[in-house]
Amino acid sequence: MAKDGYSKVFLAKNADRISGIKKVLQYFELDTFRGKNVALKANFNSGDPFPASTHPETLKSLIDCLGKSGTGRITLIERSGMGNTRDVLEKLGIFKLSQEMGFEVVVLDEEERDSWVKIEKHGTHWLKGFYIPRIICDADMVVQTCCLKTHSFGGHFTLSLKNSVGLVAKKLPGSIYDYMAELHISPYQRSMIAEINNYYPVDLVLMDAMKIFVDGGPAKGTIAEPGLILASSDRVALDAVGVAILRYHGTTKAVSKGKIFELSQIHRAAELEVGISSPEEIELVPLDEESQELTPDLETILKN
C-alpha cells in the first residue's frame, strides 16, 4: 500500500461490521493471495469478548474474503497471555469456526522446540533474544487482525504492533526461562514490542474499531464506539491512526501525552523501518461520508 512515500490507511464507518470489512478489503489486491499459504494472527489474548478479543464475525469475514481470493492453506496461530490458549480458543468458538470454514488452528504453547526460530539479541532490548514460530517465517503471506484498545500493563496501547507479542514463545519447550516475564518487567517493554515486528512481514492488517477500550485493557475497560473498520499493510501507519482514534475519544494520560510518533512503540518501530516514520507519510482514505467527516480531525491529531 506504500506508494510515492505514503502508506494508505483505509477507513470505513459503518453500522454493519461485515460490509465494513468487505469495503476496506476491496482496496487490497487479494488476487496476490491466490494459491498462497497464509499465516493469520488474530487477537485472542484472553477469553473475554470483543473488544478484548477478535470478534468472531471479523475473523469469519476476513477468512471468507481470503478464501474467495483463492488462497491455499490458512493457518491461525495464537498464544494467549491471559489464560490457557486452547481453553481461550475453545471458549470463543474458534475451533468450531475452523471446522466450519476449513482453516487450521495452531496453539503455539503446544508446539515443539524445533517449531521455533531464534531471534538473537543483537540490536534489541531483549536480554536473551526471543523466539517466533517457524510457521510465520515460512508462510507465503502473513495477515493480522487486531482490536483497538488501551493496555494497563505497560504497553499503553495494544493495536497491531502489540498484537505480535502473542507470537513470541513464553517459554521454549525444555527451558525454564520466561520471555513474557522479562517483557513485562522491562523498562523497555514498549521498544521490545516494536522489535518483534522487525522479524516478520505483514501483507495485510485489519483493525476492528467498531468498539474500543479507551482506558483499562487489554481484557476489560471503558468502551467507546467509533464504529470503524480500518486496514493497511503498514503496521506503524495503522497504529498511529489507532492512537489518534483513542485520543479523539478521550483516553489515558500515557496514550495522550506528546506527539504520536514519539510514543515508544511507534517511535521504535519507525526507527527499525517496520513502517513509515512520520505522520506526513500517512494517507488516510475514507470510504464513506461518515469516515470523510472524521478524517480531518484524525489528520489534525496525527500532526499535532
Side-chain angles (χ1 to χ4, degrees):
M1 286 299 148
K3 184 178 180 181
D4 300 327
Y6 292 90
S7 286
K8 292 183 178 181
V9 177
F10 297 92
L11 300 86
K13 188 172 175 63
N14 203 306
D16 181 352
R17 168 181 278 106
I18 296 173
S19 63
I21 290 170
K22 290 179 179 178
K23 190 180 289 185
V24 296
L25 291 186
Q26 69 179 327
Y27 287 87
F28 290 80
E29 296 177 357
L30 294 184
D31 285 348
T32 60
F33 286 76
R34 185 175 301 279
K36 304 291 182 62
N37 293 327
V38 177
L40 172 59
K41 173 68 174 71
N43 187 328
F44 295 118
N45 184 56
S46 72
D48 300 278
F50 178 81
S53 301
T54 296
H55 196 287
E57 287 298 329
T58 300
L59 183 63
K60 185 176 180 179
S61 297
L62 175 58
I63 290 176
D64 184 57
C65 288
L66 291 172
K68 287 178 179 177
S69 74
T71 58
R73 183 174 65 251
I74 299 175
T75 306
L76 177 72
I77 52 179
E78 189 61 73
R79 182 187 60 75
S80 302
M82 303 173 71
N84 176 276
T85 306
R86 181 167 288 277
D87 292 344
V88 166
L89 296 176
E90 191 70 54
K91 179 180 179 180
L92 295 173
I94 305 307
F95 291 115
K96 181 180 179 181
L97 184 62
S98 72
Q99 292 171 358
E100 292 172 357
M101 299 194 72
F103 64 91
E104 298 181 22
V105 179
V106 170
V107 177
L108 291 177
D109 306 283
E110 300 172 0
E111 290 292 273
E112 299 295 332
R113 191 182 184 99
D114 61 2
S115 297
W116 297 93
V117 174
K118 176 67 182 292
I119 304 300
E120 300 294 342
K121 168 183 169 54
H122 308 305
T124 76
H125 291 83
W126 292 80
L127 298 177
K128 296 175 177 286
F130 57 93
Y131 287 82
I132 61 174
R134 189 174 303 280
I135 190 170
I136 205 163
C137 300
D138 293 345
D140 299 319
M141 311 288 277
V142 178
V143 175
Q144 192 194 126
T145 181
C146 62
C147 303
L148 200 168
K149 51 190 178 174
T150 49
H151 188 269
S152 300
F153 306 116
H156 292 175
F157 51 87
T158 172
L159 313 181
S160 71
L161 294 168
K162 178 70 171 63
N163 199 30
S164 298
V165 173
L167 293 172
V168 175
K170 180 179 180 180
K171 294 181 179 180
L172 193 68
S175 171
I176 63 171
Y177 191 79
D178 192 325
Y179 292 90
M180 292 300 100
E182 178 196 336
L183 175 69
H184 286 100
I185 65 171
S186 174
Y188 304 109
Q189 179 183 155
R190 292 175 295 283
S191 292
M192 293 164 72
I193 289 166
E195 288 161 357
I196 300 165
N197 292 270
N198 196 37
Y199 293 94
Y200 79 98
V202 166
D203 298 285
L204 166 64
V205 185
L206 178 71
M207 177 183 284
D208 186 338
M210 296 294 286
K211 293 183 180 180
I212 66 176
F213 289 150
V214 294
D215 64 29
K220 301 182 186 303
T222 302
I223 291 177
E225 299 190 32
L228 287 166
I229 299 292
L230 304 91
S232 182
S233 60
D234 186 323
R235 285 164 281 184
V236 177
L238 186 62
D239 279 19
V241 175
V243 171
I245 293 168
L246 286 171
R247 291 184 174 189
Y248 179 84
H249 286 274
T251 188
T252 64
K253 185 180 294 185
V255 178
S256 300
K257 186 178 179 181
K259 295 180 179 180
I260 289 177
F261 273 75
E262 292 177 356
L263 298 173
S264 298
Q265 277 194 56
I266 291 175
H267 175 79
R268 181 61 174 145
E271 184 177 59
L272 293 168
E273 300 183 349
V274 171
I276 47 100
S277 59
S278 73
E280 288 76 22
E281 296 171 87
I282 298 173
E283 181 183 350
L284 284 171
V285 184
L287 302 179
D288 46 57
E289 185 176 342
E290 292 85 354
S291 56
Q292 285 176 354
E293 292 174 359
L294 176 63
T295 294
D297 290 329
L298 295 181
E299 289 175 338
T300 298
I301 295 169
L302 282 163
K303 296 173 182 178
N304 189 345

